[in-house]
Structures are given as C-alpha cells and as structure tokens.
Amino acid sequence: MGDNGKVCFIGGGPGDPELLTLKAKRIIDSADVIIYADSLVHPSVCDGAKEGAQIIGSKTLTLDEITDLMISAACEGKLVARVQSGDPSIYGAVLEQMRLLEAAGVEYEVIPGVSAAFAAAAVLKTEFTVPEVSQTVIFTRLEGRVAMPSGEKLRDLAGHGCTLVLFLSITRINKVVSELKAGAYDDDTPVAVVYRVGWHDEMIITGTLGDIAPKVKRAGITLQALVLVGAAFDPDIRRIEEAGTAASSHLYSSDYTHLYRRAVDFAKSHATHQVASDA
Ligand SMILES: C[S@@+](CC[C@H](N)C(=O)[O-])C[C@H]1O[C@@H](n2cnc3c(N)ncnc32)[C@H](O)[C@@H]1O
C-alpha cells in the first residue's frame, strides 16, 4: 500500500450538515476521495471538499464496487472519507467493508456520528431514559428480508415494555403495531414517527399504538423514518403537573449527596451515591 493511504468511516449524521462532528468535517474537507451514502446523507456534507477531490454517491454501488474504490485509492496513498448515514455502528453495514479492507491490508478508522435516533429524540424534545418510566432503550427493527436472531423478534422484545426505537420498519407499520401489541404495549402506548429528521421535508407524527398506522398511511410515509415507542414519547411527559416529583433523576436533586456534591440539607439526604460518576 502507498504511504499514508487510509479509509475513514464517518458518521454523516441524519441529514443536517451542521450535525457533523468537527472531526468528521475536517476529514471530509481534506479527503482525496469522498464516497457518501447519497440516499440518506445530504450532499452538502461535501461542500467543503478540497479542489480536485473525487465525490462519489454510493447508493447505486455494490459492496465490491465500494470497497474496490476504497482499496485502490488507499493503495495510491489517498485519504478516503466513507460517509455513512447517522452513526456507522447502527445498521451501517460497515463490518463487511472493514473485513475487506483488513484482508487488503488497508488502514482504516471510524469517526462516530449523530444517529437518526438521537436526532429524533432531539426534535421530539424528550429523553429515551426517564426515571420510573423506562431505563432501557432497544434499537431494533422488524424482521424483513434479514432474519432476526433467536429471541430478537419484535414480539419477543415487546415483552420488555421499555423505550423502543425501530429502524427500517416503517413500510410495514401494521405489522409493527400487531407485534408490539402481542407484547407489553397496548393501544394507548405513545408512538412517534419521525420521517427524514434533519431534512427540509422532515415530518413528525405523534399518536398511540391504536392510531399510528392510519396516521402514517395518510401522511404517505413509506421509508426513511423511525418508529419510536413508549411512554417517553407521551407529549405530556414534559408537563410538570404530569410528572410530579417522582419522575426526576437523583442526579441534580438538592437532597441527594453524591461524589461531587453534598446534599443541601445533609440530614435529609440518602446514603452517599456515586451516580454522578455515571452521568
Ligand atoms: C441503514 S439504516 C442507517 C441508520 C443510521 N446508521 C443511523 O444511525 O441513523 C437506515 C434507517 O435509519 C433510519 N434513518 C436514517 N436516517 C434517517 C433520518 N434522517 N430520519 C429518519 N430516519 C432515518 C430509517 O429507519 C432508515 O430506514
């Protein structure tokens, strides 16, 4: 391999180019070759590309075509930015690319990005983990052409009743609803569907498991959307009257002592907890 040739897998974020990390931007802007997932990554992520950089959309390419491009450029000593949607670690199909780079002896690194899941939580103005409501988030999908491993079918996971974020499943929203209702969720469970978060045509639909499917059909959403399920997506979750005092984290509570702060009134405090070190 030529000197300094390298591939950087880059989390391109959900669409809004301002959600690229500074590191991602720096590497994209200095890359000799940019191969970006043009189905879900906004072309403006390449706006700062250096003069003469080769810019290639990957949506019509096969795995072999993409890796051949990356390997030959890296072998010529070039820097390749492989820009994926969201964060590469979630349904990013990066492992198969990495295997081929390893086999070819090409150096690579991964720059994380903002997953569409996190951008969706931001536009919905909520938190996936809410004390006493849900402390667990499952990122998953409905079984499709890719079979789910044992124990990971949606109806198995639905038994947990926690926050669920479904990728790659919107096309079969009716099936999503019936699988979830076979578990711990019912018609009243809050659901949000976020279409193309961060793009100019972003759409947010909120409802419940009982009414989300017809709402999605009416909106004509058939792809590029997340389905977010659980009490964390109840529009009332931010209303102080609904939450009372119970559903707040101990972390900033004035009567709670932890590693970095003593309770305002120590007598009222519980035993010392080291929650802050986990924050
Ligand atoms: C191949 S997966 C890639 C996920 C990506 N790695 C991430 O972290 O967001 C593609 C799926 O992610 C979701 N997705 C990706 N970008 C999205 C966006 N801007 N808005 C809503 N959903 C998005 C959709 O469910 C889409 O079908």
PDB file of all heavy atoms in Angstrom, residues 12-31:
ATOM      1  N   GLY A  12     -22.138  10.402   9.147  1.00  0.00           N
ATOM      2  CA  GLY A  12     -22.523  11.635   8.461  1.00  0.00           C
ATOM      3  C   GLY A  12     -23.730  12.311   9.094  1.00  0.00           C
ATOM      4  O   GLY A  12     -24.189  13.348   8.611  1.00  0.00           O
ATOM      5  N   GLY A  13     -24.257  11.729  10.173  1.00  0.00           N
ATOM      6  CA  GLY A  13     -25.425  12.319  10.829  1.00  0.00           C
ATOM      7  C   GLY A  13     -26.697  12.040  10.048  1.00  0.00           C
ATOM      8  O   GLY A  13     -26.681  11.389   9.001  1.00  0.00           O
ATOM      9  N   PRO A  14     -27.815  12.560  10.551  1.00  0.00           N
ATOM     10  CA  PRO A  14     -29.111  12.214   9.972  1.00  0.00           C
ATOM     11  C   PRO A  14     -29.472  13.019   8.728  1.00  0.00           C
ATOM     12  O   PRO A  14     -30.417  12.676   8.040  1.00  0.00           O
ATOM     13  CB  PRO A  14     -30.078  12.556  11.104  1.00  0.00           C
ATOM     14  CG  PRO A  14     -29.391  13.634  11.871  1.00  0.00           C
ATOM     15  CD  PRO A  14     -27.927  13.367  11.767  1.00  0.00           C
ATOM     16  N   GLY A  15     -28.790  14.094   8.445  1.00  0.00           N
ATOM     17  CA  GLY A  15     -29.162  14.889   7.270  1.00  0.00           C
ATOM     18  C   GLY A  15     -28.661  16.312   7.389  1.00  0.00           C
ATOM     19  O   GLY A  15     -27.999  16.815   6.482  1.00  0.00           O
ATOM     20  N   ASP A  16     -28.934  16.947   8.525  1.00  0.00           N
ATOM     21  CA  ASP A  16     -28.493  18.326   8.719  1.00  0.00           C
ATOM     22  C   ASP A  16     -26.961  18.355   8.761  1.00  0.00           C
ATOM     23  O   ASP A  16     -26.352  17.782   9.666  1.00  0.00           O
ATOM     24  CB  ASP A  16     -29.084  18.812  10.058  1.00  0.00           C
ATOM     25  CG  ASP A  16     -28.669  20.224  10.414  1.00  0.00           C
ATOM     26  OD1 ASP A  16     -27.805  20.788   9.719  1.00  0.00           O
ATOM     27  OD2 ASP A  16     -29.221  20.751  11.397  1.00  0.00           O
ATOM     28  N   PRO A  17     -26.319  19.033   7.800  1.00  0.00           N
ATOM     29  CA  PRO A  17     -24.848  19.021   7.775  1.00  0.00           C
ATOM     30  C   PRO A  17     -24.221  19.632   9.026  1.00  0.00           C
ATOM     31  O   PRO A  17     -23.062  19.351   9.336  1.00  0.00           O
ATOM     32  CB  PRO A  17     -24.487  19.819   6.514  1.00  0.00           C
ATOM     33  CG  PRO A  17     -25.749  20.415   6.024  1.00  0.00           C
ATOM     34  CD  PRO A  17     -26.910  19.763   6.682  1.00  0.00           C
ATOM     35  N   GLU A  18     -24.991  20.448   9.762  1.00  0.00           N
ATOM     36  CA  GLU A  18     -24.439  21.026  10.997  1.00  0.00           C
ATOM     37  C   GLU A  18     -24.332  19.984  12.101  1.00  0.00           C
ATOM     38  O   GLU A  18     -23.754  20.242  13.154  1.00  0.00           O
ATOM     39  CB  GLU A  18     -25.299  22.203  11.462  1.00  0.00           C
ATOM     40  CG  GLU A  18     -25.199  23.381  10.506  1.00  0.00           C
ATOM     41  CD  GLU A  18     -25.608  24.684  11.144  1.00  0.00           C
ATOM     42  OE1 GLU A  18     -26.568  24.681  11.925  1.00  0.00           O
ATOM     43  OE2 GLU A  18     -24.960  25.692  10.836  1.00  0.00           O
ATOM     44  N   LEU A  19     -24.878  18.799  11.869  1.00  0.00           N
ATOM     45  CA  LEU A  19     -24.747  17.738  12.870  1.00  0.00           C
ATOM     46  C   LEU A  19     -23.537  16.844  12.614  1.00  0.00           C
ATOM     47  O   LEU A  19     -23.352  15.838  13.283  1.00  0.00           O
ATOM     48  CB  LEU A  19     -26.029  16.911  12.948  1.00  0.00           C
ATOM     49  CG  LEU A  19     -27.226  17.655  13.536  1.00  0.00           C
ATOM     50  CD1 LEU A  19     -28.464  16.765  13.583  1.00  0.00           C
ATOM     51  CD2 LEU A  19     -26.928  18.179  14.945  1.00  0.00           C
ATOM     52  N   LEU A  20     -22.700  17.222  11.661  1.00  0.00           N
ATOM     53  CA  LEU A  20     -21.415  16.523  11.518  1.00  0.00           C
ATOM     54  C   LEU A  20     -20.526  16.917  12.692  1.00  0.00           C
ATOM     55  O   LEU A  20     -20.570  18.063  13.136  1.00  0.00           O
ATOM     56  CB  LEU A  20     -20.692  17.007  10.260  1.00  0.00           C
ATOM     57  CG  LEU A  20     -21.113  16.473   8.906  1.00  0.00           C
ATOM     58  CD1 LEU A  20     -20.311  17.180   7.825  1.00  0.00           C
ATOM     59  CD2 LEU A  20     -20.874  14.974   8.831  1.00  0.00           C
ATOM     60  N   THR A  21     -19.691  16.005  13.160  1.00  0.00           N
ATOM     61  CA  THR A  21     -18.722  16.410  14.191  1.00  0.00           C
ATOM     62  C   THR A  21     -17.613  17.232  13.519  1.00  0.00           C
ATOM     63  O   THR A  21     -17.416  17.167  12.294  1.00  0.00           O
ATOM     64  CB  THR A  21     -18.078  15.201  14.887  1.00  0.00           C
ATOM     65  OG1 THR A  21     -17.308  14.478  13.928  1.00  0.00           O
ATOM     66  CG2 THR A  21     -19.123  14.287  15.521  1.00  0.00           C
ATOM     67  N   LEU A  22     -16.886  17.975  14.358  1.00  0.00           N
ATOM     68  CA  LEU A  22     -15.784  18.775  13.817  1.00  0.00           C
ATOM     69  C   LEU A  22     -14.752  17.875  13.151  1.00  0.00           C
ATOM     70  O   LEU A  22     -14.188  18.200  12.107  1.00  0.00           O
ATOM     71  CB  LEU A  22     -15.113  19.570  14.945  1.00  0.00           C
ATOM     72  CG  LEU A  22     -15.969  20.659  15.592  1.00  0.00           C
ATOM     73  CD1 LEU A  22     -15.234  21.266  16.783  1.00  0.00           C
ATOM     74  CD2 LEU A  22     -16.298  21.749  14.569  1.00  0.00           C
ATOM     75  N   LYS A  23     -14.541  16.702  13.758  1.00  0.00           N
ATOM     76  CA  LYS A  23     -13.549  15.775  13.217  1.00  0.00           C
ATOM     77  C   LYS A  23     -14.003  15.240  11.861  1.00  0.00           C
ATOM     78  O   LYS A  23     -13.218  15.138  10.913  1.00  0.00           O
ATOM     79  CB  LYS A  23     -13.338  14.615  14.207  1.00  0.00           C
ATOM     80  CG  LYS A  23     -12.162  13.739  13.877  1.00  0.00           C
ATOM     81  CD  LYS A  23     -11.841  12.848  15.058  1.00  0.00           C
ATOM     82  CE  LYS A  23     -10.568  12.074  14.819  1.00  0.00           C
ATOM     83  NZ  LYS A  23     -10.207  11.264  15.984  1.00  0.00           N
ATOM     84  N   ALA A  24     -15.309  14.892  11.778  1.00  0.00           N
ATOM     85  CA  ALA A  24     -15.844  14.394  10.505  1.00  0.00           C
ATOM     86  C   ALA A  24     -15.647  15.444   9.421  1.00  0.00           C
ATOM     87  O   ALA A  24     -15.181  15.157   8.323  1.00  0.00           O
ATOM     88  CB  ALA A  24     -17.331  14.064  10.667  1.00  0.00           C
ATOM     89  N   LYS A  25     -15.973  16.672   9.745  1.00  0.00           N
ATOM     90  CA  LYS A  25     -15.877  17.775   8.780  1.00  0.00           C
ATOM     91  C   LYS A  25     -14.422  17.965   8.336  1.00  0.00           C
ATOM     92  O   LYS A  25     -14.131  18.116   7.142  1.00  0.00           O
ATOM     93  CB  LYS A  25     -16.442  19.034   9.458  1.00  0.00           C
ATOM     94  CG  LYS A  25     -16.252  20.316   8.721  1.00  0.00           C
ATOM     95  CD  LYS A  25     -17.394  20.567   7.757  1.00  0.00           C
ATOM     96  CE  LYS A  25     -17.201  21.897   7.021  1.00  0.00           C
ATOM     97  NZ  LYS A  25     -17.242  21.744   5.574  1.00  0.00           N
ATOM     98  N   ARG A  26     -13.526  17.931   9.306  1.00  0.00           N
ATOM     99  CA  ARG A  26     -12.099  18.128   8.964  1.00  0.00           C
ATOM    100  C   ARG A  26     -11.619  17.033   8.011  1.00  0.00           C
ATOM    101  O   ARG A  26     -10.944  17.314   7.021  1.00  0.00           O
ATOM    102  CB  ARG A  26     -11.257  18.127  10.259  1.00  0.00           C
ATOM    103  CG  ARG A  26      -9.767  18.250  10.010  1.00  0.00           C
ATOM    104  CD  ARG A  26      -8.962  18.378  11.297  1.00  0.00           C
ATOM    105  NE  ARG A  26      -9.088  17.277  12.234  1.00  0.00           N
ATOM    106  CZ  ARG A  26      -8.560  16.063  12.071  1.00  0.00           C
ATOM    107  NH1 ARG A  26      -7.868  15.775  10.981  1.00  0.00           N
ATOM    108  NH2 ARG A  26      -8.723  15.125  13.002  1.00  0.00           N
ATOM    109  N   ILE A  27     -12.009  15.793   8.280  1.00  0.00           N
ATOM    110  CA  ILE A  27     -11.532  14.700   7.423  1.00  0.00           C
ATOM    111  C   ILE A  27     -12.181  14.771   6.034  1.00  0.00           C
ATOM    112  O   ILE A  27     -11.514  14.605   5.016  1.00  0.00           O
ATOM    113  CB  ILE A  27     -11.787  13.336   8.102  1.00  0.00           C
ATOM    114  CG1 ILE A  27     -10.920  13.230   9.354  1.00  0.00           C
ATOM    115  CG2 ILE A  27     -11.487  12.182   7.148  1.00  0.00           C
ATOM    116  CD1 ILE A  27     -11.198  12.033  10.236  1.00  0.00           C
ATOM    117  N   ILE A  28     -13.498  15.043   6.010  1.00  0.00           N
ATOM    118  CA  ILE A  28     -14.177  15.142   4.702  1.00  0.00           C
ATOM    119  C   ILE A  28     -13.513  16.243   3.867  1.00  0.00           C
ATOM    120  O   ILE A  28     -13.243  16.072   2.674  1.00  0.00           O
ATOM    121  CB  ILE A  28     -15.692  15.432   4.881  1.00  0.00           C
ATOM    122  CG1 ILE A  28     -16.399  14.233   5.508  1.00  0.00           C
ATOM    123  CG2 ILE A  28     -16.343  15.791   3.550  1.00  0.00           C
ATOM    124  CD1 ILE A  28     -17.838  14.498   5.966  1.00  0.00           C
ATOM    125  N   ASP A  29     -13.232  17.371   4.520  1.00  0.00           N
ATOM    126  CA  ASP A  29     -12.680  18.510   3.780  1.00  0.00           C
ATOM    127  C   ASP A  29     -11.249  18.269   3.300  1.00  0.00           C
ATOM    128  O   ASP A  29     -10.779  18.965   2.400  1.00  0.00           O
ATOM    129  CB  ASP A  29     -12.728  19.784   4.648  1.00  0.00           C
ATOM    130  CG  ASP A  29     -14.151  20.261   4.867  1.00  0.00           C
ATOM    131  OD1 ASP A  29     -15.081  19.658   4.282  1.00  0.00           O
ATOM    132  OD2 ASP A  29     -14.344  21.241   5.626  1.00  0.00           O
ATOM    133  N   SER A  30     -10.569  17.297   3.909  1.00  0.00           N
ATOM    134  CA  SER A  30      -9.191  17.071   3.451  1.00  0.00           C
ATOM    135  C   SER A  30      -9.067  15.770   2.653  1.00  0.00           C
ATOM    136  O   SER A  30      -7.973  15.412   2.217  1.00  0.00           O
ATOM    137  CB  SER A  30      -8.230  17.062   4.650  1.00  0.00           C
ATOM    138  OG  SER A  30      -8.643  16.069   5.562  1.00  0.00           O
ATOM    139  N   ALA A  31     -10.183  15.080   2.431  1.00  0.00           N
ATOM    140  CA  ALA A  31     -10.114  13.776   1.743  1.00  0.00           C
ATOM    141  C   ALA A  31      -9.844  13.948   0.242  1.00  0.00           C
ATOM    142  O   ALA A  31     -10.257  14.928  -0.371  1.00  0.00           O
ATOM    143  CB  ALA A  31     -11.429  13.018   1.949  1.00  0.00           C
TER     144      ALA A  31
END
